[in-house]
Amino acid sequence: MSSLVRLPGLVDVHVHLREPGGEHKETFATGTAAALAGGVTAVLAMPNTSPPLVDEATFAEAERRARAEARCDYGLFLGATHENAGFPLRLQRRAAGLKIYVNETFGPLRVEELPAVLEHLRQWRGPGPVAVHAEGLMVPALVALATITGARVHFCHVSRAAEIAVIRAAKARGLPVTCEVTPHHLWLTEEDLPRLGPYGHMRPPLATRADREALWANLDVVDCIATDHAPHTRAEKEGPSPPPGVPGLETMLPLLLTAVHEGRLTLGRLVELTHSRPRAIFGLPAQPNTWVEVDLEAEWVLPEQGWFTKVDWSPFAGMRVRGRVIRTVLRGTVAYEEGKVLAPPGFGKNVREERSEET
Ligand code: NCD
Ligand code: ZN
């Protein structure tokens, strides 16, 4: 009896690859190596880079770099500011989606004024949704704005019981909202903070045990599990003002497979949360001949080091998991196998590129 299983390549709709401006934390080449090692064959990259991706020039430069360097398929988000609502349609179509940060987080990208948020929702026509970083009361505020404007709003990293309750109620009314949760909010709580110190600092912050249990209990209204892979170096984390964020691309699938082993998740639901729903919500093309081979029975302890992410640490280090990526195949080519990333920089394709050869 074999414990090897093939899953469709994971699609992670929330990653920070740090180019341009944060290459000491991660690059398209290192971040997508981490993705492939984690069984992720497509990533959607956030725009809070330096400079942020907020117009044609900054977006085109990131596209150019990603095209040359990415090892797995990728899309890039445009970032909302108070001034840039109403992107040219051609630019909207090249983006994975529009990202609006209505709450504070790493970097200066922020839209706190109602008129600007409203204008962005009115003017967005892209094939991808408007992804919002909204916490607390900003969740119902954005549900209301989605309802008023008809914009498709995707809630990033929902982390609290009250927030997931609002999203459940909104969906029950048929409102055009979707949401994601992260592995760190599903596995860690504020009780882990004494142990993790600055390595447990992220936005939204780790919540209570009751919040974590509410996410599990409401997993049926969750659309995607996304990592919010947000690498910062050990030196930065241990410095005087640790930036928020944790890496997650290489640990998501082992953690989820552990939940499958424990009977908290079915394999079918895992595939919906990490593949089918993300693809449908973001309108992503099929990746033919693409799969991840996992060993469901492999037991191992997530290590402190030896990761492909440039920052080489994990908030999950020390956890015993069940399930391991053996091989990742992307468009017919073995891209990762038994500890080695084989896909070279430039192998990845932009998910918004025309693909006449594929269906
Ligand atoms: C992210 C980062 O470092 O870019 N940090 C985080 O804690 N999640 C920003 C973000 O997604 O909020
Ligand atoms: Zn993020």
Side-chain angles (χ1 to χ4, degrees):
M1 189 191 76
S2 171
S3 56
L4 296 185
V5 164
R6 273 188 191 185
L7 303 174
L10 274 63
V11 176
D12 187 348
V13 301
H14 192 147
V15 306
H16 298 267
L17 298 181
R18 305 305 190 200
E19 281 203 61
E23 294 83 354
H24 63 292
K25 301 174 196 274
E26 199 77 286
T27 64
F28 283 114
T30 60
T32 53
L36 290 168
V40 175
T41 54
V43 291
L44 302 185
M46 288 295 161
N48 63 335
T49 47
S50 325
L53 311 186
V54 294
D55 56 22
E56 166 68 37
T58 50
F59 192 81
E61 168 63 9
E63 275 179 324
R64 192 186 62 72
R65 288 183 179 221
R67 168 190 278 267
E69 275 192 60
R71 300 171 195 265
C72 72
D73 294 351
Y74 61 90
L76 304 174
F77 280 92
L78 274 164
T81 72
H82 283 107
E83 287 86 40
N84 69 357
F87 293 99
L89 265 182
R90 271 181 305 126
L91 187 54
Q92 301 195 22
R93 288 197 197 106
R94 277 155 55 196
L98 173 67
K99 178 69 183 280
I100 311 184
Y101 292 89
V102 298
N103 291 107
E104 194 191 323
T105 187
F106 179 68
L109 264 191
R110 201 99 64 251
V111 184
E112 283 154 337
E113 301 301 325
L114 175 59
V117 178
L118 191 56
E119 209 43 36
H120 274 294
L121 293 184
R122 281 196 175 128
Q123 302 225 26
W124 184 254
R125 299 269 178 286
V130 179
V132 294
H133 178 137
E135 298 180 38
L137 274 175
M138 283 301 187
V139 172
L142 265 294
V143 168
L145 292 176
T147 308
I148 291 164
T149 59
R152 278 193 302 140
V153 170
H154 176 76
F155 287 91
C156 299
H157 42 52
V158 174
S159 62
R160 292 184 181 274
E163 296 168 356
I164 197 71
V166 166
I167 286 167
R168 173 176 284 285
K171 285 188 164 200
R173 292 197 160 230
L175 303 179
V177 299
T178 55
C179 74
E180 76 197 24
V181 298
T182 69
H184 47 270
H185 293 117
L186 285 170
W187 264 270
L188 304 173
T189 70
E190 59 188 14
E191 292 169 37
D192 293 294
L193 283 174
R195 179 175 63 83
L196 291 170
Y199 295 99
H201 173 46
M202 77 278 291
R203 302 290 177 127
L206 291 177
T208 66
R209 192 180 280 247
D211 289 317
R212 181 182 64 183
E213 295 323 309
L215 297 184
W216 282 103
N218 289 281
L219 214 52
D220 61 318
V221 292
V222 172
D223 294 280
C224 320
I225 296 184
T227 60
D228 193 7
H229 177 85
H232 299 285
T233 66
R234 288 176 192 263
E236 289 164 338
K237 281 298 207 181
E238 289 176 17
S241 50
V246 295
L249 275 165
E250 290 160 89
T251 44
M252 170 164 67
L253 187 49
L255 288 168
L256 292 175
L257 291 173
T258 304
V260 170
H261 176 74
E262 291 167 348
R264 294 202 277 167
L265 192 66
T266 64
L267 218 41
R269 187 71 183 124
L270 183 157
V271 170
E272 280 175 10
L273 288 163
T274 59
H275 175 82
S276 331
R277 286 297 289 153
R279 260 189 63 200
I281 292 167
F282 286 84
L284 306 179
Q287 296 175 294
N289 299 316
T290 296
W291 68 84
V292 197
E293 194 171 308
V294 296
D295 183 348
L296 294 176
E297 293 304 326
E299 260 192 272
W300 55 303
V301 176
L302 301 175
E304 297 281 348
Q305 288 177 52
W307 301 105
F308 284 96
T309 174
K310 197 163 187 179
V311 299
D312 202 14
W313 60 271
S314 167
F316 304 106
M319 284 180 58
R320 178 168 287 278
V321 291
R322 185 119 171 185
R324 186 169 202 146
V325 176
I326 302 297
R327 191 173 287 110
T328 305
V329 176
L330 174 53
R331 285 180 272 102
T333 298
V334 179
Y336 168 85
E337 190 167 45
E338 303 198 340
K340 291 198 176 58
V341 172
L342 303 171
F347 188 72
K349 287 189 179 180
N350 190 323
V351 296
R352 295 294 185 232
E353 230 158 61
E354 294 294 332
R355 293 179 199 197
S356 47
E357 81 278 17
E358 291 165 16
T359 46

